Amino acid sequence: VSIDTTDLGDFIIARSIDEPLYHFAVVADDFDMGITHVIRAEEHLSNTPRQILIQEAIGAPRPIYAHLPLVLAADKAKLSKRKHGETVWLTYYRSRGYLPEAILNFVALIGWNPGDDREIFSLAELVKEFSLEKVQKGGGVFNVEKLNWINKEYIKKLGKEEQLKGLRPFVPEIVNDELLKKLLPVLIDRVNVWGEAQELFEEGEFEYLFNEPSVDTTKIVWKNDTKEGSREHLTEVLRRLYDLDENTWTIETIKESIWSYAEEKGKGNVLWPMRMTLTGKEKSADPFTVAALLGKEKTLARITSAIQSLA
């Protein structure tokens, strides 16, 4: 970038002998601290000629300058705290449970890419790959959907103990450590960021784990099936589950005991009544997972109650 400095005129550098203004202060400060590179937003591009002139006047070396494009909101407007509120603050993302590594990875990709399709980087990889030459000239969009995807990828890479530790502050106290371990696969599948686990509980997504669901018998029946058919299927499910050993009551053993029957009679005919009976919800984790979470005693009791209600 070049500029005709005669267009700048005589610009003010101080209000008085002991009140320096920004241009003079920043040049003196950078000189005093030995700053070699100044990397800042493109909004400062117009300030640079004035600061170079001051550097020359006081005998300060010229740093290497780079001006980066602005970070834009989804509507391509400049991202600002006035217009976009708390979503521009790092503390907002920390409070929502985003991982620091994911934030760093995401921010590095706003307005820059390594020249290929890679999107997940460790800090060491970013340090190795990053170069100012690959920073684009146009503003980069702060895409929350992409941030959530990156954060999800980092969550999946964590070990189980790290995942449990991350979730713990965002689940209610009623969820003890044992139950949280059982819920872990469900939550990891459902959330992009730890804070979404809190939202699921607040919305009553797992209410069936703590309270008996209120089940409308008309909703237990799957599409073109009948009450008699649903009662027959639940009775067979009850029989098969009753024979399972409580010590090996897992998602896998529950599914294995029911799956062949569900395939024979129609998965919807068998699994829908089971889901509705156990949760009272049309949408939830699969019935095998729900049964494993509830335990054998609660599962059998709820299915028995539903069979009686369909009589």
PDB file of all heavy atoms in Angstrom, residues 208 213-216 219 274-284 302:
ATOM      1  N   TYR A 208     -38.026 -38.498  32.058  1.00  0.00           N
ATOM      2  CA  TYR A 208     -38.482 -39.878  32.280  1.00  0.00           C
ATOM      3  C   TYR A 208     -37.537 -40.684  33.171  1.00  0.00           C
ATOM      4  O   TYR A 208     -37.913 -41.731  33.696  1.00  0.00           O
ATOM      5  CB  TYR A 208     -38.650 -40.601  30.936  1.00  0.00           C
ATOM      6  CG  TYR A 208     -37.388 -40.715  30.114  1.00  0.00           C
ATOM      7  CD1 TYR A 208     -36.469 -41.728  30.340  1.00  0.00           C
ATOM      8  CD2 TYR A 208     -37.112 -39.802  29.095  1.00  0.00           C
ATOM      9  CE1 TYR A 208     -35.307 -41.843  29.587  1.00  0.00           C
ATOM     10  CE2 TYR A 208     -35.946 -39.903  28.343  1.00  0.00           C
ATOM     11  CZ  TYR A 208     -35.057 -40.920  28.595  1.00  0.00           C
ATOM     12  OH  TYR A 208     -33.911 -41.028  27.853  1.00  0.00           O
ATOM     13  N   PRO A 213     -43.495 -41.334  33.394  1.00  0.00           N
ATOM     14  CA  PRO A 213     -44.101 -40.567  32.286  1.00  0.00           C
ATOM     15  C   PRO A 213     -45.614 -40.743  32.253  1.00  0.00           C
ATOM     16  O   PRO A 213     -46.140 -41.789  32.641  1.00  0.00           O
ATOM     17  CB  PRO A 213     -43.449 -41.183  31.046  1.00  0.00           C
ATOM     18  CG  PRO A 213     -43.115 -42.582  31.448  1.00  0.00           C
ATOM     19  CD  PRO A 213     -42.756 -42.509  32.900  1.00  0.00           C
ATOM     20  N   SER A 214     -46.294 -39.708  31.822  1.00  0.00           N
ATOM     21  CA  SER A 214     -47.732 -39.787  31.595  1.00  0.00           C
ATOM     22  C   SER A 214     -47.943 -40.178  30.141  1.00  0.00           C
ATOM     23  O   SER A 214     -47.623 -39.406  29.231  1.00  0.00           O
ATOM     24  CB  SER A 214     -48.381 -38.436  31.894  1.00  0.00           C
ATOM     25  OG  SER A 214     -49.759 -38.474  31.598  1.00  0.00           O
ATOM     26  N   VAL A 215     -48.457 -41.386  29.931  1.00  0.00           N
ATOM     27  CA  VAL A 215     -48.538 -41.934  28.576  1.00  0.00           C
ATOM     28  C   VAL A 215     -49.984 -42.004  28.100  1.00  0.00           C
ATOM     29  O   VAL A 215     -50.837 -42.604  28.761  1.00  0.00           O
ATOM     30  CB  VAL A 215     -47.901 -43.343  28.504  1.00  0.00           C
ATOM     31  CG1 VAL A 215     -47.917 -43.863  27.074  1.00  0.00           C
ATOM     32  CG2 VAL A 215     -46.472 -43.304  29.044  1.00  0.00           C
ATOM     33  N   ASP A 216     -50.255 -41.389  26.975  1.00  0.00           N
ATOM     34  CA  ASP A 216     -51.559 -41.484  26.321  1.00  0.00           C
ATOM     35  C   ASP A 216     -51.594 -42.803  25.557  1.00  0.00           C
ATOM     36  O   ASP A 216     -50.792 -43.027  24.644  1.00  0.00           O
ATOM     37  CB  ASP A 216     -51.734 -40.297  25.373  1.00  0.00           C
ATOM     38  CG  ASP A 216     -53.098 -40.268  24.698  1.00  0.00           C
ATOM     39  OD1 ASP A 216     -53.799 -41.295  24.740  1.00  0.00           O
ATOM     40  OD2 ASP A 216     -53.436 -39.221  24.121  1.00  0.00           O
ATOM     41  N   LYS A 219     -51.347 -42.980  21.863  1.00  0.00           N
ATOM     42  CA  LYS A 219     -50.063 -42.672  21.235  1.00  0.00           C
ATOM     43  C   LYS A 219     -49.093 -43.847  21.301  1.00  0.00           C
ATOM     44  O   LYS A 219     -48.038 -43.815  20.671  1.00  0.00           O
ATOM     45  CB  LYS A 219     -49.436 -41.440  21.893  1.00  0.00           C
ATOM     46  CG  LYS A 219     -50.203 -40.160  21.603  1.00  0.00           C
ATOM     47  CD  LYS A 219     -49.484 -38.945  22.185  1.00  0.00           C
ATOM     48  CE  LYS A 219     -50.223 -37.656  21.838  1.00  0.00           C
ATOM     49  NZ  LYS A 219     -49.548 -36.455  22.393  1.00  0.00           N
ATOM     50  N   MET A 274     -42.682 -49.488  22.743  1.00  0.00           N
ATOM     51  CA  MET A 274     -41.691 -49.615  23.811  1.00  0.00           C
ATOM     52  C   MET A 274     -41.129 -48.245  24.184  1.00  0.00           C
ATOM     53  O   MET A 274     -41.014 -47.894  25.366  1.00  0.00           O
ATOM     54  CB  MET A 274     -40.568 -50.551  23.372  1.00  0.00           C
ATOM     55  CG  MET A 274     -39.525 -50.809  24.430  1.00  0.00           C
ATOM     56  SD  MET A 274     -38.239 -51.936  23.820  1.00  0.00           S
ATOM     57  CE  MET A 274     -37.078 -51.876  25.192  1.00  0.00           C
ATOM     58  N   ARG A 275     -40.776 -47.439  23.182  1.00  0.00           N
ATOM     59  CA  ARG A 275     -40.254 -46.085  23.437  1.00  0.00           C
ATOM     60  C   ARG A 275     -41.284 -45.232  24.180  1.00  0.00           C
ATOM     61  O   ARG A 275     -40.968 -44.581  25.179  1.00  0.00           O
ATOM     62  CB  ARG A 275     -39.870 -45.405  22.121  1.00  0.00           C
ATOM     63  CG  ARG A 275     -39.330 -43.986  22.301  1.00  0.00           C
ATOM     64  CD  ARG A 275     -39.540 -43.154  21.055  1.00  0.00           C
ATOM     65  NE  ARG A 275     -38.830 -43.674  19.909  1.00  0.00           N
ATOM     66  CZ  ARG A 275     -37.570 -43.382  19.590  1.00  0.00           C
ATOM     67  NH1 ARG A 275     -36.888 -42.565  20.371  1.00  0.00           N
ATOM     68  NH2 ARG A 275     -37.012 -43.885  18.524  1.00  0.00           N
ATOM     69  N   MET A 276     -42.517 -45.191  23.671  1.00  0.00           N
ATOM     70  CA  MET A 276     -43.549 -44.369  24.279  1.00  0.00           C
ATOM     71  C   MET A 276     -43.855 -44.814  25.707  1.00  0.00           C
ATOM     72  O   MET A 276     -44.084 -43.988  26.594  1.00  0.00           O
ATOM     73  CB  MET A 276     -44.828 -44.416  23.435  1.00  0.00           C
ATOM     74  CG  MET A 276     -44.749 -43.670  22.123  1.00  0.00           C
ATOM     75  SD  MET A 276     -44.482 -41.885  22.350  1.00  0.00           S
ATOM     76  CE  MET A 276     -45.963 -41.420  23.245  1.00  0.00           C
ATOM     77  N   THR A 277     -43.834 -46.116  25.930  1.00  0.00           N
ATOM     78  CA  THR A 277     -44.101 -46.655  27.256  1.00  0.00           C
ATOM     79  C   THR A 277     -43.029 -46.240  28.254  1.00  0.00           C
ATOM     80  O   THR A 277     -43.325 -45.890  29.400  1.00  0.00           O
ATOM     81  CB  THR A 277     -44.156 -48.200  27.194  1.00  0.00           C
ATOM     82  OG1 THR A 277     -45.295 -48.587  26.417  1.00  0.00           O
ATOM     83  CG2 THR A 277     -44.256 -48.809  28.572  1.00  0.00           C
ATOM     84  N   LEU A 278     -41.792 -46.261  27.837  1.00  0.00           N
ATOM     85  CA  LEU A 278     -40.678 -45.977  28.745  1.00  0.00           C
ATOM     86  C   LEU A 278     -40.446 -44.486  28.968  1.00  0.00           C
ATOM     87  O   LEU A 278     -39.986 -44.083  30.033  1.00  0.00           O
ATOM     88  CB  LEU A 278     -39.390 -46.626  28.219  1.00  0.00           C
ATOM     89  CG  LEU A 278     -39.395 -48.152  28.118  1.00  0.00           C
ATOM     90  CD1 LEU A 278     -38.057 -48.651  27.582  1.00  0.00           C
ATOM     91  CD2 LEU A 278     -39.690 -48.787  29.475  1.00  0.00           C
ATOM     92  N   THR A 279     -40.740 -43.656  27.941  1.00  0.00           N
ATOM     93  CA  THR A 279     -40.404 -42.233  28.040  1.00  0.00           C
ATOM     94  C   THR A 279     -41.605 -41.296  28.011  1.00  0.00           C
ATOM     95  O   THR A 279     -41.525 -40.176  28.509  1.00  0.00           O
ATOM     96  CB  THR A 279     -39.472 -41.815  26.893  1.00  0.00           C
ATOM     97  OG1 THR A 279     -40.195 -41.874  25.645  1.00  0.00           O
ATOM     98  CG2 THR A 279     -38.252 -42.723  26.806  1.00  0.00           C
ATOM     99  N   GLY A 280     -42.685 -41.719  27.360  1.00  0.00           N
ATOM    100  CA  GLY A 280     -43.810 -40.820  27.148  1.00  0.00           C
ATOM    101  C   GLY A 280     -43.525 -39.787  26.084  1.00  0.00           C
ATOM    102  O   GLY A 280     -44.276 -38.827  25.902  1.00  0.00           O
ATOM    103  N   LYS A 281     -42.436 -39.973  25.346  1.00  0.00           N
ATOM    104  CA  LYS A 281     -42.013 -38.996  24.342  1.00  0.00           C
ATOM    105  C   LYS A 281     -41.942 -39.628  22.956  1.00  0.00           C
ATOM    106  O   LYS A 281     -41.551 -40.781  22.819  1.00  0.00           O
ATOM    107  CB  LYS A 281     -40.642 -38.420  24.699  1.00  0.00           C
ATOM    108  CG  LYS A 281     -40.615 -37.594  25.974  1.00  0.00           C
ATOM    109  CD  LYS A 281     -39.206 -37.118  26.258  1.00  0.00           C
ATOM    110  CE  LYS A 281     -39.174 -36.193  27.456  1.00  0.00           C
ATOM    111  NZ  LYS A 281     -39.860 -34.917  27.185  1.00  0.00           N
ATOM    112  N   GLU A 282     -42.298 -38.839  21.947  1.00  0.00           N
ATOM    113  CA  GLU A 282     -42.195 -39.310  20.573  1.00  0.00           C
ATOM    114  C   GLU A 282     -40.753 -39.287  20.081  1.00  0.00           C
ATOM    115  O   GLU A 282     -40.395 -40.014  19.159  1.00  0.00           O
ATOM    116  CB  GLU A 282     -43.084 -38.457  19.659  1.00  0.00           C
ATOM    117  CG  GLU A 282     -44.568 -38.560  19.994  1.00  0.00           C
ATOM    118  CD  GLU A 282     -45.433 -37.716  19.077  1.00  0.00           C
ATOM    119  OE1 GLU A 282     -44.868 -37.124  18.134  1.00  0.00           O
ATOM    120  OE2 GLU A 282     -46.650 -37.652  19.306  1.00  0.00           O
ATOM    121  N   LYS A 283     -39.948 -38.425  20.697  1.00  0.00           N
ATOM    122  CA  LYS A 283     -38.532 -38.349  20.322  1.00  0.00           C
ATOM    123  C   LYS A 283     -37.686 -38.523  21.576  1.00  0.00           C
ATOM    124  O   LYS A 283     -37.886 -37.839  22.572  1.00  0.00           O
ATOM    125  CB  LYS A 283     -38.217 -37.003  19.660  1.00  0.00           C
ATOM    126  CG  LYS A 283     -38.898 -36.812  18.317  1.00  0.00           C
ATOM    127  CD  LYS A 283     -38.513 -35.472  17.697  1.00  0.00           C
ATOM    128  CE  LYS A 283     -39.172 -35.273  16.335  1.00  0.00           C
ATOM    129  NZ  LYS A 283     -38.800 -33.967  15.730  1.00  0.00           N
ATOM    130  N   SER A 284     -36.757 -39.439  21.489  1.00  0.00           N
ATOM    131  CA  SER A 284     -35.859 -39.702  22.612  1.00  0.00           C
ATOM    132  C   SER A 284     -34.733 -40.575  22.088  1.00  0.00           C
ATOM    133  O   SER A 284     -34.680 -40.900  20.896  1.00  0.00           O
ATOM    134  CB  SER A 284     -36.599 -40.414  23.742  1.00  0.00           C
ATOM    135  OG  SER A 284     -36.921 -41.749  23.362  1.00  0.00           O
ATOM    136  N   ARG A 302     -42.786 -50.315  33.918  1.00  0.00           N
ATOM    137  CA  ARG A 302     -43.481 -49.423  32.993  1.00  0.00           C
ATOM    138  C   ARG A 302     -44.138 -50.194  31.845  1.00  0.00           C
ATOM    139  O   ARG A 302     -45.241 -49.830  31.414  1.00  0.00           O
ATOM    140  CB  ARG A 302     -42.497 -48.368  32.453  1.00  0.00           C
ATOM    141  CG  ARG A 302     -42.048 -47.383  33.510  1.00  0.00           C
ATOM    142  CD  ARG A 302     -41.177 -46.266  32.966  1.00  0.00           C
ATOM    143  NE  ARG A 302     -40.689 -45.433  34.074  1.00  0.00           N
ATOM    144  CZ  ARG A 302     -39.956 -44.342  33.927  1.00  0.00           C
ATOM    145  NH1 ARG A 302     -39.611 -43.930  32.697  1.00  0.00           N
ATOM    146  NH2 ARG A 302     -39.546 -43.651  34.972  1.00  0.00           N
TER     147      ARG A 302
END
